[in-house]
Amino acid sequence: MNKNDLIMTLLKGRTLIVLSLLVIFFSFAADSFFTAQSLLLVAKHVALYGILGIGMTYVLVTGGIDLSVGAVVGVAGMVSGYLINQGLTMFGYTIYFDVPTVVIIAVAIGVIIGAVNGIIITKFAVAPFIVTLGMMYIARGIANLISNGATFPNLVGKEALGNTGFEIFGRDIAGFPVAVIILIVIAVIAAVILRKTPFGWHILAIGGNQRAAQLSGVHVDKDKLLVYMFSGGCSAIVGIIATSQLVASHPMTGNTWEMNAIAAAVLGGTSLMGGVGTIVGTVIGAFIIGVISDGMVMCGVSEFWQMIIKGLVIVLAVIVDQYQRDLQAKMALQARNENK
C-alpha cells in the first residue's frame, strides 16, 4: 500500500476515528461522561441531530442546502403544543385530536414547508440557500405567532379529551430511548432508498451532474421537490420528539440546529458539492456532534466557545472533504496514466 492509498483509507474511516478519539478524550476530561445517565442523554441528542442530518443528507446529495430545518422543528413543536393544549376551534366548537392525529398534522406541515421550498427552487430557479434562508425566518415567525412568543407547558393532555400520551416520544422503553428507535427506523429506510432504489440513484446523479441526469431521463424537478419534502418531514419529526422530551413547546426550539444537521452530514462524508453521501456516515457524524456538544457541557466549556468549536468543525470537515476529492482525482489520473 503506497502513501496515497494509506491516506485515502484513513480519510474514508475518519468519522469513526474522530468519534473514538472524542469518546476517549471526554472519558478522561469529564468524570460524569461515561455514566449510564450521561450516555442516555447523549443518545437522545444524537437522535435529534441524526434525523435532521438524514433529511439534510438527501438535500446536500442533490447539490442543495436547507437552512430552514431548525425553524421547522420549532413550528412542528408549536403546532403540536397548540393542538394538545388549546385544540382547534372552528365555528364556535373546539376539537381536540388524539396524539396520532396531532403527529400526522405536525409532520404534514413540515412536509408542506419543504414542498414550498422545493417548488420555489425548481419552478422559479432560485438558489436553495436564498429560498431556505427566507423560509427559516418565515417559519420561525410562524412559530412565534402561534403563541405570541409564549410557551405551551405541560403537554400531557387529558383523559376526558382523549389526547394523552404525547410524552411517549421523549421516554424510554426498557431503558432504550424511543427517539433512538425512531432514528434507527428512519436511518434504515433512508439508507435503503438512497442505495437500493432508482430514486436514490437519481438524486445522487443529480448532485453529480444535473445536466447529465436530466439528459438521461431523470425527472430532476420532481426528485428535488421530494427531497425537500423529506427534509421538512424529518424536521417536523424532530420537533415532535424534542417537544415530547421537554413536555412543553417553545417557539425557539431548534434554533441553529440546521448547523448541527449540516455538520453531521458533512462529517459523515456527504459532500457540499453534491453527488456523494451516506446515511450511516451521517449517523456517525451525529454521534460526533452529540459527543462534542454534551462533552463540552460536562467539561464546563462556555457556550460561546462551543459555537466557535462547532464552526471550526464544519470548516475543517469541508476542507478534509475537498482534500479527499482532490486526492481521488489525482489517484484516478495516475491510474489512467499507468494503464496507457
Side-chain angles (χ1 to χ4, degrees):
M1 179 182 290
N2 60 37
K3 178 183 176 182
N4 286 341
D5 288 334
L6 177 60
I7 293 174
M8 185 58 65
T9 300
L10 292 174
L11 286 173
K12 289 180 178 179
R14 64 183 180 273
T15 49
L16 283 175
I17 294 171
V18 170
L19 179 59
S20 301
L21 292 174
L22 285 172
V23 170
I24 293 170
F25 172 77
F26 284 118
S27 297
F28 287 100
D31 295 335
S32 60
F33 181 79
F34 230 102
T35 63
Q37 184 177 2
S38 296
L39 293 177
L40 194 63
L41 181 63
V42 171
K44 289 181 177 180
H45 291 161
V46 166
L48 300 178
Y49 305 149
I51 296 170
L52 271 185
I54 289 169
M56 187 66 73
T57 297
Y58 268 58
V59 173
L60 292 176
V61 158
T62 65
I65 195 166
D66 189 352
L67 299 179
S68 67
V69 295
V72 175
V73 169
V75 170
M78 291 304 294
V79 168
S80 300
Y82 180 85
L83 292 176
I84 290 173
N85 272 11
Q86 306 292 327
L88 182 63
T89 301
M90 297 177 63
F91 308 111
Y93 295 94
T94 301
I95 304 171
Y96 289 91
F97 301 99
D98 58 20
V99 170
T101 304
V102 170
V103 170
I104 291 171
I105 293 172
V107 172
I109 289 174
V111 171
I112 290 170
I113 293 174
V116 173
N117 283 334
I119 290 170
I120 296 174
I121 289 167
T122 57
K123 299 302 180 184
F124 297 94
V126 183
F129 180 89
I130 300 300
V131 174
T132 59
L133 178 64
M135 184 58 74
M136 177 180 73
Y137 286 106
I138 293 170
R140 189 63 69 187
I142 292 172
N144 279 278
L145 282 172
I146 289 173
S147 65
N148 288 322
T151 299
F152 290 121
N154 196 30
L155 302 180
V156 295
K158 296 180 180 179
E159 290 284 353
L161 300 175
N163 61 352
T164 58
F166 183 75
E167 64 274 15
I168 184 63
F169 303 107
R171 288 184 174 177
D172 305 336
I173 295 179
F176 203 72
V178 172
V180 175
I181 297 173
I182 296 173
L183 168 63
I184 292 171
V185 171
I186 292 175
V188 170
I189 294 172
V192 170
I193 291 174
L194 186 61
R195 293 296 174 183
K196 303 293 184 181
T197 68
F199 174 71
W201 304 332
H202 290 170
I203 63 173
L204 287 165
I206 291 170
N209 189 321
Q210 180 170 313
R211 182 57 179 164
Q214 201 164 24
L215 292 173
S216 300
V218 175
H219 299 289
V220 173
D221 287 354
K222 184 193 73 174
D223 290 344
K224 278 188 174 182
L225 174 62
L226 291 173
V227 161
Y228 282 95
M229 291 171 66
F230 177 65
S231 179
C234 286
S235 303
I237 291 171
V238 170
I240 292 165
I241 296 172
T243 300
S244 178
Q245 289 175 347
L246 297 170
V247 198
S249 59
H250 188 276
M252 293 309 292
T253 300
N255 189 37
T256 74
W257 284 12
E258 57 275 357
M259 293 298 102
N260 290 333
I262 294 171
V266 173
L267 284 169
T270 300
S271 174
L272 289 174
M273 305 300 291
V276 178
T278 67
I279 301 303
V280 173
T282 296
V283 173
I284 298 173
F287 269 97
I288 292 175
I289 296 300
V291 169
I292 290 176
S293 299
D294 290 2
M296 287 192 294
V297 170
M298 293 176 197
C299 290
V301 178
S302 164
E303 182 180 353
F304 307 124
W305 276 109
Q306 292 182 38
M307 294 170 65
I308 292 171
I309 292 171
K310 284 182 182 179
L312 289 173
V313 166
I314 294 175
V315 173
L316 182 60
V318 174
I319 292 173
V320 172
D321 173 67
Q322 187 59 51
Y323 176 74
Q324 181 178 346
R325 291 167 70 93
D326 292 343
L327 183 59
Q328 285 176 325
K330 179 181 177 181
M331 291 174 66
L333 180 61
Q334 287 178 344
R336 285 198 297 269
N337 290 336
E338 290 172 359
N339 291 331
K340 287 183 178 178

